[in-house]
Amino acid sequence: QLDSTFYDNTCPNLYRIVDRVIWSAMLSDARIGASLLRLHFLDCFVNGCDASLLLDDSSSIQSEKNAGPNVDARGFDVVDTIKTTLEDACPGVVSCADILALAAHTSVVLAGGPSWNVLLGRRDSTTANQAGANTLIPSPFEGLTNITAKFSAVGLNTNDLVALSGAHTFGRAQCRTFSNRLFNFSGTGNPDQTLASSYLAALRQRCPQNGSGSTLANLDFTSPNNFDNNYFSNLQNNQGLLQSDQELFSTTGAATIAIVNNFANNRAAFFHSFAVSMTNMGNISPLTGSSGEIRSDCKKVNGS
Ligand code: HEM
Ligand SMILES: [Ca+2]
C-alpha cells in the first residue's frame, strides 16, 4: 500500500531537497552514496523498513547502530541533514524510513545506476531491535545457503539476492571483512582458492597480516565509485572482494551462477532487476496508516 505519489501534495520539493543534500555531500565524500544505500538495506532487514536502524541508545532503546554488522555504518549525519531540511520545508510530514528509501535511490542514480519509482508512505518505528540486527543481517563469512535463507526470511528470492549484491559495485569494505580469505582460509593454511592470484597479491599488500583491520578496500576495484555491472564480471574473474560475493559465482551447482553470468553480459538486465529488487526490499513490512509515527528527529522517538 506504499505509493510513489504519497508526498506530492504535502511535500512537493521532496526530491529536490534529498538530491541537493546528497549531491553536496558527494563533493567532499565520494563514498557517501554507497554508505546511504547500505543504510536502507541494514534498516529493511530488521523489523522491516521502519528506520529502526536510526534510533540512538537511550534509556528505552538499545540501538541497532551498536549491533555487530552496523558498527561501522556511516551516513547518519547526511540523513540528519536531509531530515532537518525537510522539517523546515514540510514539518512533520516525511518519515525517516522514507528518507532512507529516497536517499538510496538518489545515491544509485547519482553514481550512474538505474532509476525507479520509489514507493513511499512508510512510518517510523518507536522501537529498535539490536538482537535482531545481530542475527538477521547477513555476514560476509557465512555460506550462500545461510545468506539465501536470510533473504528468504524477509521475502526476497535468489534473483533479489544476486541483483542486490550488485550494490557492491561501489563503496568500500574494511580489511577485517575479507582478510580471512588472504592467508589461512578456513584453517587450510592457504588463501581462498577462488581468489585470482594478482588480486590476492594486491589485497595482501593492502591488508597485511597484523595490519589494521579497518583499512579500506574498494568493493569493486575496476570502477570503485560507479554504479555499473563490473561487479559481476569481477566475480567471473575470481575478483570478488567478500567471500559472500564470490560464492554467488563459485559455489558448485548454485542457481546464482547463471544470474551472475546474465548480469555480467547484460547491464540493462542488471539495472532492471536491481530496480525491481530495490522495490521488493523497500516493501519489507513497512509501518503504514496509523502505525508508528513520523519522527521529528530520526535519532529519537517523539517525546523522548
Ligand atoms: C548479501 C549479503 C550482504 C553481505 C554479506 C554484505 C556485507 C557487507 C560488508 C561486510 C560490507 C563492508 C562493511 C564495512 O567494512 O564496514 C558491505 C558494504 C556495503 N554493502 Fe553490503 N552486504 C550484503 C548485501 C548488501 C545489500 C543488499 C546492499 C544494498 C542493496 C548492500 C550495500 C552495500 C554497500 C553500498 C556497501 C559499501 C558501503 C560504504 O562504502 O560505506 N550490501 N556489505
Ligand atoms: Ca528496520
Side-chain angles (χ1 to χ4, degrees):
Q1 57 284 52
L2 302 178
D3 170 7
S4 64
T5 66
F6 191 80
Y7 298 111
D8 279 6
N9 297 321
T10 51
C11 199
N13 287 330
L14 177 59
Y15 273 89
R16 231 183 309 274
I17 290 169
V18 174
D19 290 0
R20 194 179 316 131
V21 173
I22 296 176
W23 187 83
S24 120
M26 276 181 72
L27 295 177
S28 58
D29 180 2
R31 182 186 174 195
I32 192 63
S35 304
L36 290 167
L37 172 57
R38 183 166 183 240
L39 292 186
H40 185 43
F41 157 63
L42 297 175
D43 178 32
C44 291
F45 267 62
V46 181
N47 294 12
C49 311
D50 61 352
S52 57
L53 171 70
L54 301 179
L55 292 173
D56 279 345
D57 259 328
S58 75
S59 54
S60 56
I61 298 289
Q62 273 198 301
S63 180
E64 291 177 21
K65 293 177 186 176
N66 297 324
N70 298 345
V71 280
D72 295 302
R74 58 199 295 282
F76 296 107
D77 50 339
V78 175
V79 173
D80 287 336
T81 304
I82 295 171
K83 180 62 176 175
T84 52
T85 314
L86 286 174
E87 286 300 297
D88 279 345
C90 10
V93 167
V94 183
S95 70
C96 299
D98 280 344
I99 289 174
L100 290 177
L102 288 160
H105 170 263
T106 292
S107 296
V108 169
V109 171
L110 288 178
S115 182
W116 61 92
N117 275 328
V118 184
L119 301 184
L120 300 167
R122 300 171 190 80
R123 292 167 64 84
D124 300 323
S125 74
T126 53
T127 57
N129 183 0
Q130 188 183 84
N134 277 315
T135 52
L136 302 170
I137 295 168
S139 138
F141 312 120
E142 58 191 340
L144 184 57
T145 309
N146 273 326
I147 292 180
T148 304
K150 287 185 174 180
F151 272 68
S152 169
V154 292
L156 299 177
N157 64 24
T158 302
N159 251 305
D160 297 313
L161 166 62
V162 180
L164 292 173
S165 294
H168 293 169
T169 181
F170 66 169
R172 321 279 178 260
Q174 301 169 77
C175 291
R176 62 179 180 78
T177 65
F178 58 87
S179 56
N180 65 313
R181 308 181 65 202
L182 304 185
F183 300 98
N184 180 14
F185 183 59
S186 305
T188 56
N190 291 307
D192 188 337
Q193 299 298 311
T194 63
L195 259 178
S197 57
S198 57
Y199 190 51
L200 170 66
L203 293 177
R204 280 178 163 180
Q205 196 156 35
R206 186 124 193 111
C207 307
Q209 275 173 308
N210 308 318
S212 164
S214 58
T215 302
L216 298 173
N218 294 318
L219 279 158
D220 171 1
F221 80 104
T222 65
S223 55
N225 299 324
N226 300 341
F227 199 100
D228 53 29
N229 62 338
N230 293 359
Y231 168 82
F232 297 102
S233 22
N234 293 343
L235 299 186
Q236 292 178 319
N237 297 325
N238 288 331
Q239 291 168 328
L241 184 63
L242 306 178
Q243 181 188 331
S244 51
D245 293 324
Q246 192 58 50
E247 282 181 354
L248 297 174
F249 183 74
S250 300
T251 303
T252 310
T256 49
I257 299 170
I259 307 172
V260 170
N261 287 331
N262 180 36
F263 291 164
N265 294 332
N266 187 342
R267 191 186 77 143
F270 166 50
F271 277 17
H272 174 77
S273 287
F274 188 80
V276 169
S277 294
M278 282 297 289
T279 304
N280 293 341
M281 186 172 82
N283 273 329
I284 301 174
S285 1
L287 298 169
T288 56
S290 59
S291 309
E293 61 182 21
I294 305 296
R295 274 180 222 150
S296 50
D297 176 341
C298 293
K299 302 184 292 304
K300 294 190 295 198
V301 173
N302 289 345
S304 70

